[in-house]
Amino acid sequence: MEDPMLSQLAYWLRKPGFQVMEETPRLALFRLGLLAIAMMIVGRSSWWIVLSLFAAYRIMRTEFAQRARKTIKRDLTGLFLLIRVKREITKRLNANRPIHEIWLERVREHPLKEAAVEIETGRSMNYRELNQLMNKYANYFASQGYKHGDVVALFMENNIDFFALWLGLSKIGVVSAFINSNLKLEPLGHSINVSKCKSVITTSSLLPTLEKTKAQGLIDKDLKAFVNNGDVEKAENLEKSIEGANEEEPHKCAEVDFQSVLCYIYTSGTTGNPKPAVIKHFRYYWMAMGAGEAFGIKHEDRVYITMPVYHSAAGILGVGSTITRGTTIVIRKKFSASNFWKDAIAHGCTCSQYIGELCRYLLAQKPTPEEKQHKIRMMWGNGLRGEIWPEFTSRFGIERVGELYGSTEGNSNIVNIDNHVGSCGFFPIYPFISSLYPVRLVRIDEETGQLIRDQNGLAIPCKPGETGEMIGLIKKKDVLLRFEGYVDKGDTAKKIYRDVIQKGDQVFASGDILHWDELGYLYFKDRRGDTFRWKGENVSTTEVEGILQPLKSIVDCTVYGVEIGKHEGRAGMAALQLIDGCDLQDLLTDAAHRFTANLASYAIPVFIRVCNEVEKTGTYKLKKTDLQKAGFDLAKVNNDPIFFFNSAEKKYVELTPELQRQIDSGEYTRI
């Protein structure tokens, strides 16, 4: 009878990657001779021991074993990190206390420690003062009839009040909707309406944008508006309203626990306008705590926040460090490359966040003494390209880069825990544990973006060395692997694949394409479908296309992302098919006007291509893949004119070969 242990061993030895490294025939014969002698010496009853030892030796000589030796330290570090995170989140799930009660633990630990600073205003608050401000907001809104389940939209720039408002409102069970402060008109109106909010809190500088949206009938003209401070005509001044409010803890809201809805954070998906993703208390804590554990954030750290707090990067991973680690956050209203290192020195910052564009902007600055005098030891975020990673860390003296991958609404994340250049995380390469890992890569058709399925209708998992779409397994009984989705259940359904790993299963479809190398490291490559990333923001092609819909001179329009030189992400490009006799200059003027009036600056197409002859799909759509391959290269567009958006003059100008060369080389920087 065949020994089952030896059978299993033989099975793995036949697996790809387990082939023994090359050796000479003489050496192979010598080893076989030693094996035969050993078996003769020990006797038949102990052959299995000799064979097992020989098999182990041969396994250690395989390509797989060589790779495993290079990654074992990383994999063990990742395992211990996972155990710590799981243990902490399990403890919190068992306690079932909402995040504002976890915040109070930090307040009791160091009430007089500085909690938050605003750079532009110099405003500073310690933990006790900040908690008292939160309580004032909570008690005031409770006195105005706000209660558990109500929603308030926060349409604000970076400031202390943004943090104090959403965490204060959570104490009375009110959900906050984090609205992108760059939005205008239709996208802004949609974001507010879909949240079903009872009121909007904004700032005096953003109030005119809100009022213009109301004036055009895009949101209810009677929707209550507040500003955090400042006397204005059409909104209530909260700073004055809360002057007499109670600063003690509000009455405990019994309906709120660790699994309640905390806030909505918007993500630009593949189906049009921004969609509010549901963030529950435990998910916020899990993301912030996990980042702190992975990247070694300490309670004495001072975290410099320059990215918008309405996004999960700054709003959860940055601001959340106060709740999970007890840090001090230093908040700048808007990123400034020229002031970055000056701010870091002035405020003693030790950590900061980044997106790839931010890193490139810093490298583009002329060298200054401050870039070597700061105390920032670690920066974490996403999008730092491998091509500039070494230069960035060496020039600015950054000891550690915490590159990560994840999505606001997704159910799984990966992190780079060992500073491996260009990687956003890793999967262990051991094939026998893949079934235990909640995140996978699966093969897709490069042309259609659809999953490639086998003869049984299941997706085909990627192997090391391959590229595919990131998916996260959904397990409804495991709170950490649920997909909470969006406010709109229809949007949620569109992000779920079925029958992927096995019949009847469900997975979260990230839409992101990653490469898995032979050592298990993962590298972000692209976004699938109708979304691309530019200047650190997701841009919905459907949303941009919709802005041009009213222009009757356009027969067809498709929007896509194109690579520009060394820039991170993809810039927007619109390909248009026009009616005969169209006045091209009038069209370009109208397009520029509509884009600037309705879109955030990062969503405005950088290029417009006017197609004379177009190839269409079977459903009469412009073939996006061919258009993307041609990009804005004048030599590849069949003599179609291309126009470039001049952001200073807010108009489209014709792209010339010289301007194309300057853009490609990086000489032209005003993009």
Side-chain angles (χ1 to χ4, degrees):
M1 178 180 287
E2 188 177 15
D3 189 320
M5 179 187 294
L6 294 179
S7 298
Q8 185 70 6
L9 203 54
Y11 169 77
W12 284 112
L13 287 172
R14 291 194 297 270
K15 282 281 197 179
F18 280 88
Q19 292 81 11
V20 179
M21 297 177 71
E22 289 186 13
E23 57 185 23
T24 64
R26 179 179 294 180
L27 190 56
L29 286 172
F30 176 72
R31 292 195 176 112
L32 286 172
L34 287 179
L35 174 63
I37 293 170
M39 292 177 72
M40 290 173 62
I41 292 173
V42 301
R44 189 178 184 87
S45 62
S46 300
W47 279 6
W48 70 273
I49 298 176
V50 176
L51 288 172
S52 297
L53 291 173
F54 182 72
Y57 166 74
R58 298 294 278 173
I59 288 173
M60 293 306 296
R61 292 277 301 162
T62 62
E63 176 194 352
F64 173 80
Q66 301 301 313
R67 288 188 281 132
R69 276 205 292 268
K70 294 178 181 178
T71 62
I72 188 67
K73 181 180 178 182
R74 175 203 69 189
D75 296 340
L76 287 176
T77 301
L79 175 62
F80 294 143
L81 169 63
L82 183 61
I83 291 171
R84 292 198 308 273
V85 170
K86 280 273 194 179
R87 185 171 56 201
E88 171 65 14
I89 200 69
T90 300
K91 182 182 79 172
R92 295 295 184 180
L93 283 166
N94 290 336
N96 201 28
R97 295 165 56 230
I99 203 164
H100 48 264
E101 293 187 15
I102 299 174
W103 155 259
L104 289 177
E105 295 175 12
R106 306 289 88 77
V107 176
R108 289 189 287 268
E109 286 170 359
H110 33 62
L112 301 181
K113 178 183 177 181
E114 191 173 48
V117 187
E118 287 179 357
I119 289 176
E120 288 86 351
T121 66
R123 182 186 184 194
S124 172
M125 305 188 86
N126 63 35
Y127 272 78
R128 177 186 292 161
E129 292 167 338
L130 183 51
N131 187 59
Q132 288 171 341
L133 178 60
M134 293 173 182
N135 291 341
K136 282 189 168 187
Y137 282 135
N139 288 316
Y140 174 74
F141 277 93
S143 72
Q144 299 301 302
Y146 287 75
K147 61 187 183 304
H148 174 258
D150 287 340
V151 178
V152 170
L154 303 183
F155 180 52
M156 308 172 74
E157 302 100 339
N158 286 9
N159 54 46
I160 290 176
D161 291 309
F162 191 102
F163 179 29
L165 277 161
W166 70 255
L167 194 51
L169 290 170
S170 77
K171 296 186 178 190
I172 60 172
V174 172
V175 174
S176 298
F178 294 9
I179 307 294
N180 184 333
S181 59
N182 292 298
L183 298 182
K184 305 172 186 176
L185 298 181
E186 284 98 340
L188 175 59
H190 168 83
S191 297
I192 291 174
N193 291 332
V194 76
S195 73
K196 300 178 181 178
C197 61
K198 190 172 180 177
S199 62
V200 181
I201 304 174
T202 187
T203 60
S204 55
S205 58
L206 289 176
L207 183 61
T209 302
L210 181 67
E211 287 302 314
K212 189 174 181 181
T213 306
K214 280 186 176 183
Q216 295 200 14
L218 298 169
I219 55 177
D220 187 346
K221 63 181 177 60
D222 295 323
L223 183 66
K224 176 73 174 178
F226 300 87
V227 291
N228 61 328
N229 57 52
D231 290 322
V232 291
E233 288 185 10
K234 297 184 178 181
E236 180 179 332
N237 182 353
L238 273 177
E239 186 178 42
K240 284 188 175 180
S241 297
I242 66 169
E243 282 179 355
N246 190 342
E247 61 185 28
E248 298 300 318
E249 292 297 320
H251 293 296
K252 181 179 173 64
C253 183
E255 296 95 333
V256 178
D257 59 30
F258 203 46
Q259 297 194 45
S260 298
V261 177
L262 173 67
C263 61
Y264 302 148
I265 296 184
Y266 288 71
T267 175
S268 178
T270 61
T271 54
N273 279 312
K275 299 189 293 291
V278 177
I279 305 297
K280 295 187 175 181
H281 287 248
F282 77 84
R283 180 165 175 76
Y284 187 104
Y285 184 80
W286 178 35
M287 292 173 68
M289 179 269 297
E293 288 286 343
F295 304 132
I297 300 171
K298 301 175 246 183
H299 71 89
E300 61 265 29
D301 278 323
R302 296 176 65 85
V303 179
Y304 183 30
I305 293 177
T306 67
M307 295 195 299
V309 293
Y310 57 76
H311 271 335
S312 55
I316 297 180
L317 303 185
V319 172
S321 66
T322 59
I323 299 170
T324 63
R325 318 299 278 189
T327 64
T328 298
I329 53 174
V330 179
I331 305 170
R332 175 172 269 281
K333 185 176 180 179
K334 192 174 184 180
F335 169 73
S336 166
S338 60
N339 288 302
F340 190 90
W341 303 115
K342 295 174 185 176
D343 290 344
I345 293 171
H347 294 277
C349 299
T350 56
C351 299
S352 188
Q353 295 180 281
Y354 69 83
I355 54 173
E357 283 290 324
L358 182 151
C359 299
R360 192 179 64 79
Y361 293 151
L362 292 175
L363 283 171
Q365 296 292 302
K366 293 180 179 179
T368 63
E370 289 86 358
E371 68 185 41
K372 293 291 188 183
Q373 296 169 355
H374 63 88
K375 296 178 181 178
I376 292 181
R377 72 174 198 285
M378 192 274 291
M379 294 182 67
W380 81 103
N382 63 282
L384 179 55
R385 291 174 57 156
E387 294 88 342
I388 65 171
W389 185 310
E391 181 187 0
F392 183 80
T393 54
S394 62
R395 175 176 166 181
F396 302 125
I398 306 300
E399 296 173 15
R400 183 174 184 184
V401 171
E403 178 79 7
L404 55 87
Y405 166 83
S407 59
T408 301
E409 75 277 30
N411 63 348
S412 296
N413 307 288
I414 54 174
V415 294
N416 180 336
I417 59 176
D418 61 352
N419 251 357
H420 190 80
V421 173
S423 169
C424 60
F426 70 97
F427 290 164
I429 60 175
Y430 320 113
F432 40 83
I433 68 169
S434 61
S435 61
L436 304 176
Y437 215 62
V439 184
R440 309 279 179 85
L441 283 188
V442 292
R443 294 184 191 174
I444 62 165
D445 185 303
E446 292 185 5
E447 287 295 319
T448 65
Q450 300 300 308
L451 293 186
I452 298 175
R453 295 181 180 266
D454 62 18
Q455 65 272 22
N456 298 315
L458 300 177
I460 302 174
C462 292
K463 299 189 294 289
E466 296 182 343
T467 299
E469 180 178 355
M470 174 74 82
I471 59 169
L473 304 183
I474 297 173
K475 296 183 180 179
K476 294 182 179 179
K477 293 183 179 179
D478 185 339
V479 67
L480 299 181
L481 296 181
R482 291 178 192 162
F483 173 45
E484 302 295 347
Y486 308 100
V487 172
D488 187 306
K489 298 305 178 186
D491 288 333
T492 301
K494 293 173 185 176
K495 295 293 286 185
I496 295 175
Y497 291 148
R498 291 173 170 79
D499 300 328
V500 178
I501 306 301
Q502 60 186 24
K503 291 292 184 180
D505 68 3
Q506 295 183 354
V507 304
F508 166 72
S510 71
D512 294 326
I513 311 303
L514 283 77
H515 178 71
W516 190 16
D517 77 8
E518 296 292 342
L519 295 178
Y521 289 105
L522 291 156
Y523 304 84
F524 181 85
K525 290 297 179 185
D526 207 349
R527 289 190 67 82
R528 175 183 59 77
D530 298 327
T531 304
F532 60 88
R533 195 165 180 83
W534 180 241
K535 295 189 176 180
E537 302 279 359
N538 288 339
V539 180
S540 166
T541 60
T542 310
E543 176 188 331
V544 179
E545 289 165 0
I547 300 300
L548 295 180
Q549 287 294 324
L551 300 183
K552 304 302 182 184
S553 54
I554 297 176
V555 176
D556 201 357
C557 166
T558 189
V559 174
Y560 46 95
V562 295
E563 293 181 334
I564 299 183
K566 295 182 179 179
H567 287 260
E568 287 76 22
R570 293 173 180 263
M573 185 165 184
L576 309 180
Q577 183 184 11
L578 307 179
I579 63 172
D580 293 337
C582 167
D583 188 311
L584 183 55
Q585 197 53 55
D586 285 349
L587 169 74
L588 294 172
T589 301
D590 289 345
H593 175 73
R594 290 192 60 80
F595 285 147
T596 53
N598 290 279
L599 296 175
S601 59
Y602 57 79
I604 296 174
V606 176
F607 304 100
I608 287 180
R609 173 180 172 179
V610 179
C611 300
N612 295 315
E613 294 182 5
V614 295
E615 186 177 359
K616 295 192 176 185
T617 67
T619 53
Y620 306 103
K621 296 292 184 182
L622 295 172
K623 293 193 73 171
K624 188 174 292 190
T625 52
D626 293 343
L627 294 167
Q628 281 182 308
K629 287 176 183 177
F632 63 99
D633 187 342
L634 292 170
K636 297 180 179 178
V637 296
N638 302 321
N639 296 319
D640 289 345
I642 295 179
F643 299 89
F644 172 74
F645 185 69
N646 184 316
S647 57
E649 298 182 13
K650 295 188 177 355
K651 69 177 184 179
Y652 283 95
V653 297
E654 186 160 7
L655 183 71
T656 63
E658 175 58 19
L659 181 55
Q660 179 190 330
R661 185 195 66 77
Q662 292 177 0
I663 293 172
D664 277 328
S665 66
E667 293 176 42
Y668 189 94
T669 59
R670 298 189 300 276
I671 297 178

